[in-house]
Amino acid sequence: MRKPMTRLLKSCLVISASLLLTACAGDMQDLKGFVSEVKSRKAGHIEPLPEIKQVQTYTFAGAGRDPFFLASDEAQEGEVAPTGGLFPDTTRRKEELESYELDALRMVGILEQEEARWALIQTKDNTIYRVKAGNYMGKNHGQITRITETQADLTEIIPDGQGGYRERQASLALTE
C-alpha cells in the first residue's frame, strides 16, 4: 500500500517539475529586442574633470619653535620650567580599572572585613571590581587614597601643560 502511494507522489513531482521548466523555456524574443535597442542607443556625453588648481605652498621657518605651543607658556631662555619632580610610575604594571575613564566607573558598594575596607566599582559592561586604598583606577594614574562609607577618594597625576605633572584630587561617590 505504501509503494503505490510513493510512486504516485514521485510521478506528480516529476510532472510538476517538467511543467515549471517548460514555462521558463518560452520565447525570449522580447528580451533580445530590448538588449539590441539599448546597445543601439547613442552613448552619453561625460563632462571632463575640472582642472585642478595648483596651491601656493608655504614653508614655515620658525627657527625650531613649535607653532602650536603658546608663547606665553614658554619658559624664559635659560629658565627651566618647574616640574616639582612629580611623574607617574610608567614601569609599574597597569591595573584593570586603569583602562576606563573615571566617568565610566560607578561605586556601587563597600565591603568591610577585619579592619579592611573595600570599594565595589562597576564598569559600563556591568563588571564589578573590588578595590582598596592603594589600588589604581582611571586613565590619569589615579591612586585610591581613602575609602569612606559614601565615596572613594583618589589622587590623579595629570600633565600640567609645561612638560611636567601635577596632582589633582578626584572621587567616586556611592550611587544608589
Side-chain angles (χ1 to χ4, degrees):
M1 176 129 153
R2 199 174 218 190
K3 286 188 178 188
M5 188 62 108
T6 56
R7 243 186 226 167
L8 178 65
L9 185 61
K10 285 181 184 179
S11 299
C12 287
L13 285 174
V14 169
I15 292 172
S16 61
S18 62
L19 285 174
L20 286 173
L21 289 175
T22 57
C24 293
D27 188 24
M28 295 183 56
Q29 199 60 29
D30 56 343
L31 179 61
K32 289 178 183 177
F34 175 74
V35 170
S36 63
E37 177 195 337
V38 170
K39 285 183 178 181
S40 66
R41 289 183 192 165
K42 182 180 171 189
H45 177 66
I46 298 175
E47 294 291 325
L49 292 176
E51 187 175 322
I52 298 174
K53 296 178 183 177
Q54 187 64 28
V55 178
Q56 195 75 278
T57 60
Y58 177 75
T59 304
F60 179 74
R65 182 183 171 281
D66 184 1
F68 301 105
F69 191 74
L70 296 176
S72 61
D73 290 343
E74 291 180 352
Q76 296 292 331
E77 193 167 320
E79 178 184 335
V80 177
T83 62
L86 180 67
F87 289 96
D89 184 6
T90 56
T91 60
R92 72 173 174 79
R93 186 171 178 223
K94 296 271 188 189
E95 296 182 21
E96 187 69 32
L97 290 176
E98 287 185 273
S99 60
Y100 297 94
E101 293 287 344
L102 274 185
D103 60 356
L105 302 174
R106 288 182 30 207
M107 182 174 167
V108 293
I110 60 167
L111 293 173
E112 289 187 36
Q113 182 182 23
E114 297 178 13
E115 305 289 324
R117 185 174 285 169
W118 302 82
L120 299 176
I121 306 296
Q122 184 179 26
T123 62
K124 290 278 187 191
D125 58 357
N126 292 328
T127 305
I128 296 179
Y129 293 90
R130 182 180 71 166
V131 295
K132 63 181 180 179
N135 285 122
Y136 290 85
M137 67 179 166
K139 292 203 175 214
N140 291 321
H141 313 283
Q143 185 175 20
I144 301 171
T145 55
R146 182 176 66 143
I147 298 173
T148 67
E149 293 178 5
T150 58
Q151 68 184 22
D153 296 326
L154 297 102
T155 301
E156 295 182 306
I157 300 175
I158 59 170
D160 65 0
Q162 298 176 347
Y165 292 89
R166 66 180 177 91
E167 288 185 343
R168 175 176 70 182
Q169 301 302 316
S171 64
L172 278 179
L174 181 65
T175 57
E176 298 288 326

